[in-house]
Amino acid sequence: MLLRFYLFDRSGKCLYSQSWNDGLAKESTVEVEKLVFGLLHSIKGFVAKLTPDATKGTFRHLKTQTYKLHCLNTLTGLRFVLMTDPNTGDISQDLDWIYSDVYVDTVVKNPLAVHGEPISNPAFAAKLDAFVHSRKYF
């Protein structure tokens, strides 16, 4: 089951978030966004310290008893994050697709989009929603 999607820039600013089936109160959304980015930042540092070659250390997912956090870090510093049920398998290809076919097509190629600002493009939301609804883990 898919719970949540986040898109962060390199400084930790949440550019977009969407929830499905997670049961979080709306008031806690900003707090949760900060906690998720802090977790990602900490894990990235942890992986860099433990990996002999820092350029090859990559964090892909973290599994707990209640959720699994999947992450894609781009070369430009964007972080695409999906939170799913802990039994969900590897969905790194789905994150790659969200980046290349949803984000690039509806944000990067959009001349009206202001890069670094929260995404308000309805085409992005619609294409992301259609994609995740087509997945078996939704």
Side-chain angles (χ1 to χ4, degrees):
M1 174 178 9
L2 180 62
L3 303 174
R4 222 169 222 296
F5 170 79
Y6 298 101
L7 172 56
F8 296 103
D9 69 5
R10 73 175 54 234
S11 67
K13 182 178 182 182
C14 186
L15 301 178
Y16 187 83
S17 70
Q18 174 70 40
S19 65
W20 303 267
N21 314 314
D22 70 354
L24 289 176
K26 290 287 183 191
E27 302 85 43
S28 68
T29 303
V30 174
E31 275 184 45
V32 172
E33 290 168 359
K34 289 178 182 180
L35 289 170
V36 169
F37 183 79
L39 176 67
L40 293 172
H41 185 72
S42 297
I43 290 175
K44 183 178 178 183
F46 183 72
V47 168
K49 294 276 185 198
L50 293 179
T51 306
D53 184 357
T55 61
K56 294 183 180 177
T58 304
F59 163 67
R60 296 296 242 172
H61 64 267
L62 168 72
K63 184 177 178 180
T64 71
Q65 291 181 344
T66 55
Y67 66 88
K68 189 171 183 180
L69 190 96
H70 307 264
C71 183
L72 169 69
N73 294 305
T74 68
L75 293 175
T76 58
L78 294 174
R79 294 180 182 173
F80 292 78
V81 181
L82 279 173
M83 290 178 67
T84 65
D85 180 85
N87 299 320
T88 304
D90 182 18
I91 59 171
S92 57
Q93 290 180 341
D94 291 350
L95 285 168
D96 290 337
W97 194 90
I98 291 170
Y99 170 65
S100 63
D101 287 15
V102 177
Y103 179 76
V104 170
D105 284 351
T106 60
V107 178
V108 174
K109 292 180 181 178
N110 182 353
L112 301 177
V114 180
H115 298 287
E117 291 299 315
I119 298 170
S120 59
N121 184 346
F124 177 83
K127 197 167 183 179
L128 175 65
D129 205 48
F131 175 71
V132 298
H133 278 86
S134 72
R135 309 316 296 166
K136 65 182 176 187
Y137 52 81
F138 185 79

